[in-house]
Amino acid sequence: MLSEVLLVSAPGKVILHGEHAVVHGKVALAVALNLRTFLRLQPHSNGKVDLSLPNIGIKWAWDVARLQLLDTSFLEQGDATTPTPELVEKLKEVAGLPDDCAVTESLAVLAFLYLYLSICRKQRCVCSLGRERVTFCTLVCFRALPSLDIVVWSELPHGAGLGSSAAYSVCLAAALLTVCEEIPNPLKDGDRVNRWTKEDLELINKWAFQGERVIHGNPSGVDNAVSTWGGALRYQQGKISSLKRPPALQILLTNTKVPRNTRTLVAGVRNRLLKFPEIVAPLLTSIDAISLECERVLGEMGEAPAPEQYLVLEELIDMNQHHLNALGVGHASLDQLCQVTRAHGLHSKLTGAGGGGCGITLLKPGLEQPEVEATKQALTSCGFDCWETSIGAPGVSIHSATSLDSRVQQALDGL
Amino acid sequence: ESGSCSGSGAEWRQPGRGRRRRRRRQVALAVALNLRTFLRLQPHSNGKVDLSLPNIGIKWAWDVARLQLLDTSFLEQGDATTPTPELVEKLKEVAGLPDDCAVTESLAVLAFLYLYLSICRKQRALPSLDIVVWSELPHGAGLGSSAAYSVCLAAALLTVCEEIPNPLKDGDRVNRWTKEDLELINKWAFQGERVIHGNPSGVDNAVSTWGGALRYQQGKISSLKRPPALQILLTNTKVPRNTRTLVAGVRNRLLKFPEIVAPLLTSIDAISLECERVLGEMGEAPAPEQYLVLEELIDMNQHHLNALGVGHASLDQLCQVTRAHGLHSKLTGAGGGGCGITLLKPGLEQPEVEATKQALTSCGFDCWETSIGAPGVSIHSATSLDSRVQQALDGL
């Protein structure tokens, strides 16, 4: 068990191209968004597990001793148990959540508990029997679940389709696996930030996916993969693969804050395809081609992207936005977003489910900062939230205490 | 006797077809717009041919005797000569147009002269005529005003020269020619269009002659049977655009992104076909669901046209304004500005329609409440025409 403070961060995600079409077997490109979730894990010896989530105002604490006494055999199935509904129900009992607990809050707590109990009980048995099988050993020697103080704070808005729950799960998985020494801490003396090896990232991703399954039931796995690996991923028919060396692209990320029902929007597209197959099927094919062309251009951009390549990215953004409108997942707020950015010479598209929600605007190199500021101002005047950030960001990373922004430090301190 | 005939404007239901995409299968739907061009022809015995076009402020006159003396053998090639550039040059000499004559003006005059000399020279003596042509259609907005002009001229000249009979009977307010006569009118109107445009597709004059709705595919034109008349708003953003540039832009996008644009064109084609199917089924008593389908097709096509790169901020504004009133619009024609159409399904409250027109006018646009699927070239009794039209033809 490590005793030092761990500072971990993981990015959110946006779909660059292919939303909705991906449901019908087409290629989607998911990219890491550099709005990040930060986790600080402080090992203790106070016999408590504290979980603090300032974004949603949650503070929970459990006695380690009581958790230790739980029959956690229901977690006992190989390396990473599939969280079934029954398992989630049992966790609820364990967590002691009140009946009126908000859904967001309870799922976040359950995901934490699930990961904590599953990962941390695998610590090596240090009893004289030298056995590795936990069930047998717990009869004889108590392996101690660790006392931890965990704070998780995010720059990501929740429920906006930006992968905040996956970033949360990834941070938890990385921190817990590291503190329980299932994976080494890659941060060396003098490092400001570092990342785990490929194999370790695979383990982090596997556990993060389980956390996602507690929260979402049946997630695709893309969100946690993007948050773990960073950069850009291609996703098609369940297969996920990383793009090699995608460039980091500067963007505006805008949240219209117009609520929408993802299920309804997805169903609407399916209905339109059923009603007008000859019209919609080729439209999906065209969207697929946009994703492929984008993948191609990103692959070619390398170290020194050319202006023409940014122009192509802008054309692809425009065409895809029109296609998404044609599929019926547009919204007046998104039209306004696109109009405002167009008035400043910039190109935008919705990202995710549509019908409101978020949009991304490409900021090609060479733009005058006052123009960018004016655009942000104009978007904010519409009542939207707007961040200047990047995509193709690094995946889950571990930071030295001194390297973090004071803003982040204060947030983790609950200020 | 005098007669007035009107030819309807031509409007592309699925714009950008034909000339824009020479792909094998693509279908376009062109519909007759009930903004009309009116022609009044008064035979005389004063030895003059007078042509008056109030919309563009033209008044020309020729002496019949001088025209009679012309060597018009260059027109002498069968039933309907193909107007070559050389022929057009010769006509210019004949017309006596000044060098500084505006292009629009000179082409309108040349088209008239061409049709007058070609059709009327079969008479022993060229007739003295007073012709006034006035149009509800804005010119140069892609609405087929030159075709409506040519159709009116062809119909009037063929009738006054008795190449085709006058279908107007006693007591008729309006009537139309037979199929065979309409074919002859259309053939001559197409020649007039060739003088004006050089190499037109022929769809504009076909729509103006036949009316209703036409399907245009691979150069073949065929009428839709019994298309319903649909009420629309026709809006002119008055933003000028270069059709050639827009057409080239689409071609360039197809060359640059073939895998993206080719299926998009396929999707647009499917929209045309679906629209044709629905129009064919609408018949006498269209159902509300059918209008909803037409609205969905309009929306999808508008997004596709934007994806092709022929949109414009003014057209976005048009669509936004109508959407705010629950109505559905798309650009029509070349895009990049120009005109848009808005479907007015039955059951709308007139105040809502008026409010929409008002909102569009406030944007600086011109807006007409009219219909599509209108009658083709027709002949009217003097008393049946609107006083507004009468006054316009009277030059008031």
Side-chain angles (χ1 to χ4, degrees), chain A residues 45-56:
Chain A
S45 44
N46 63 359
K48 286 202 173 309
V49 179
D50 290 290
L51 176 68
S52 182
L53 309 179
N55 292 99
I56 47 179

Side-chain angles (χ1 to χ4, degrees), chain B residues 217-230:
Chain B
Q217 182 181 23
Q218 288 174 258
K220 294 192 194 33
I221 300 171
S222 57
S223 282
L224 270 60
K225 297 186 193 353
R226 302 190 199 285
L230 299 174

Side-chain angles (χ1 to χ4, degrees), chain B residues 68-387:
Chain B
Q68 193 85 50
L69 291 173
L70 291 173
D71 175 7
T72 56
S73 55
F74 65 93
L75 295 173
E76 190 89 6
Q77 273 149 53
D79 219 8
T81 317
T82 303
T84 58
E86 296 77 26
L87 186 145
V88 173
E89 278 309 306
K90 270 213 170 272
L91 276 173
K92 277 188 185 168
E93 292 171 36
V94 166
L97 292 167
D99 289 332
D100 63 350
C101 188
V103 174
T104 306
E105 189 174 320
S106 62
L107 289 175
V109 167
L110 293 176
F112 165 72
L113 263 188
Y114 170 77
L115 290 173
Y116 172 78
L117 292 173
S118 306
I119 293 173
C120 297
R121 70 187 166 78
K122 293 188 169 188
Q123 312 266 292
R124 275 169 298 126
L126 287 171
S128 280
L129 304 171
D130 187 302
I131 291 183
V132 185
V133 187
W134 175 79
S135 186
E136 296 174 313
L137 292 159
H139 181 84
L143 299 177
S145 63
S146 70
Y149 171 74
S150 297
V151 168
C152 280
L153 282 176
L157 292 170
L158 286 166
T159 303
V160 78
C161 295
E162 297 183 282
E163 294 286 329
I164 57 180
N166 182 339
L168 204 61
K169 305 285 173 277
D170 282 343
D172 279 346
R173 291 173 54 80
V174 64
N175 215 325
R176 305 197 63 218
W177 288 266
T178 65
K179 183 165 175 294
E180 291 71 25
D181 294 339
L182 289 172
E183 271 166 18
L184 189 62
I185 291 171
N186 189 42
K187 194 162 65 167
W188 280 107
F190 182 53
Q191 301 306 328
E193 278 277 86
R194 295 179 84 174
V195 170
I196 296 172
H197 288 298
N199 193 19
S201 65
V203 178
D204 289 24
N205 46 277
V207 174
S208 196
T209 301
W210 300 102
L214 297 192
R215 148 203 258 265
Y216 173 53
Q217 182 181 23
Q218 288 174 258
K220 294 192 194 33
I221 300 171
S222 57
S223 282
L224 270 60
K225 297 186 193 353
R226 302 190 199 285
L230 299 174
Q231 303 307 309
I232 63 159
L233 293 181
L234 190 283
T235 302
N236 189 358
T237 64
K238 298 184 287 189
V239 172
R241 70 288 171 87
N242 184 316
T243 298
R244 187 159 298 144
T245 305
L246 290 158
V247 170
V250 174
R251 178 175 301 113
N252 290 339
R253 190 161 272 197
L254 175 60
L255 290 172
K256 188 173 182 183
F257 302 116
E259 307 295 318
I260 298 171
V261 180
L264 181 56
L265 298 178
T266 301
S267 183
I268 293 176
D269 190 49
I271 291 174
S272 297
L273 292 171
E274 180 66 17
C275 185
E276 185 183 5
R277 193 188 66 74
V278 174
L279 291 179
E281 286 181 2
M282 279 176 104
E284 293 296 310
E289 299 80 60
Q290 289 168 317
Y291 284 99
L292 289 183
V293 170
L294 292 182
E295 288 180 328
E296 287 180 277
L297 298 177
I298 283 171
D299 287 346
M300 286 190 284
N301 202 356
Q302 176 60 16
H303 296 308
H304 286 5
L305 289 160
N306 278 328
L308 286 178
V310 298
H312 189 271
S314 60
L315 294 163
D316 292 340
Q317 191 181 23
L318 190 165
C319 290
Q320 222 174 320
V321 166
T322 58
R323 194 183 320 125
H325 293 266
L327 303 175
H328 301 258
S329 308
K330 63 179 281 290
L331 68 86
T332 176
C339 295
I341 52 172
T342 305
L343 183 64
L344 300 177
K345 61 192 177 206
L348 293 173
E349 297 288 334
Q350 195 54 30
E352 192 67 45
V353 176
E354 290 306 318
T356 310
K357 287 159 70 178
Q358 187 59 43
L360 290 165
T361 317
S362 310
C363 298
F365 305 154
D366 288 338
C367 184
W368 296 263
E369 190 177 344
T370 181
S371 63
I372 51 178
V377 63
S378 309
I379 184 158
H380 307 263
S381 71
T383 48
S384 70
L385 281 184
D386 211 273
S387 59

Side-chain angles (χ1 to χ4, degrees), chain A residues 109-364:
Chain A
V109 168
L110 293 176
F112 164 72
L113 263 186
Y114 171 77
L115 289 173
Y116 172 78
L117 292 172
S118 306
I119 293 172
C120 297
R121 72 189 167 83
K122 278 165 150 278
Q123 296 195 71
R124 295 205 187 288
C125 178
V126 294
C127 72
S128 56
L129 293 174
R131 296 198 194 259
E132 298 242 352
R133 282 197 54 84
V134 174
T135 31
F136 188 75
C137 280
T138 49
L139 296 176
V140 179
C141 48
F142 282 103
R143 285 180 314 113
L145 286 170
S147 280
L148 304 172
D149 188 300
I150 292 182
V151 185
V152 187
W153 175 78
S154 186
E155 297 175 313
L156 292 160
H158 180 85
L162 300 177
S164 63
S165 70
Y168 171 74
S169 296
V170 168
C171 279
L172 282 176
L176 292 170
L177 287 166
T178 303
V179 77
C180 295
E181 297 183 276
E182 293 286 329
I183 57 180
N185 181 341
L187 202 62
K188 306 283 174 278
D189 283 343
D191 279 348
R192 291 174 54 81
V193 64
N194 216 324
R195 304 198 64 217
W196 287 266
T197 64
K198 183 164 176 293
E199 291 71 26
D200 294 341
L201 288 172
E202 271 165 20
L203 190 62
I204 290 171
N205 189 42
K206 193 161 66 169
W207 279 108
F209 182 53
Q210 301 307 326
E212 278 277 86
R213 295 178 85 173
V214 171
I215 296 172
H216 289 297
N218 193 18
S220 64
V222 176
D223 289 22
N224 46 276
V226 173
S227 196
T228 300
W229 300 103
L233 298 191
R234 151 205 253 266
Y235 171 54
Q236 184 180 23
Q237 292 173 341
K239 296 192 193 36
I240 300 171
S241 57
S242 281
L243 271 59
K244 299 187 193 357
R245 303 189 198 286
L249 300 175
Q250 303 307 309
I251 63 159
L252 294 180
L253 190 283
T254 302
N255 189 358
T256 64
K257 297 184 288 191
V258 172
R260 71 287 171 85
N261 185 316
T262 298
R263 189 160 298 145
T264 305
L265 290 158
V266 171
V269 174
R270 178 173 298 113
N271 289 340
R272 190 162 274 197
L273 175 60
L274 290 171
K275 188 174 181 183
F276 302 116
E278 307 293 320
I279 298 171
V280 180
L283 182 55
L284 297 175
T285 300
S286 184
I287 294 176
D288 189 54
I290 289 173
S291 296
L292 292 171
E293 180 67 17
C294 186
E295 185 182 7
R296 194 188 66 74
V297 173
L298 292 179
E300 286 181 1
M301 280 175 103
E303 292 296 310
E308 300 80 60
Q309 289 168 317
Y310 284 99
L311 289 183
V312 170
L313 292 182
E314 289 179 329
E315 286 182 277
L316 298 178
I317 283 172
D318 287 346
M319 286 190 284
N320 201 357
Q321 177 59 17
H322 295 308
H323 286 5
L324 289 160
N325 279 328
L327 285 178
V329 298
H331 190 272
S333 61
L334 294 164
D335 292 340
Q336 191 181 22
L337 189 164
C338 290
Q339 223 174 321
V340 166
T341 57
R342 194 183 320 127
H344 293 265
L346 303 176
H347 300 258
S348 308
K349 63 177 281 290
L350 69 86
T351 176
C358 294
I360 51 173
T361 305
L362 184 64
L363 300 177
K364 59 193 180 204

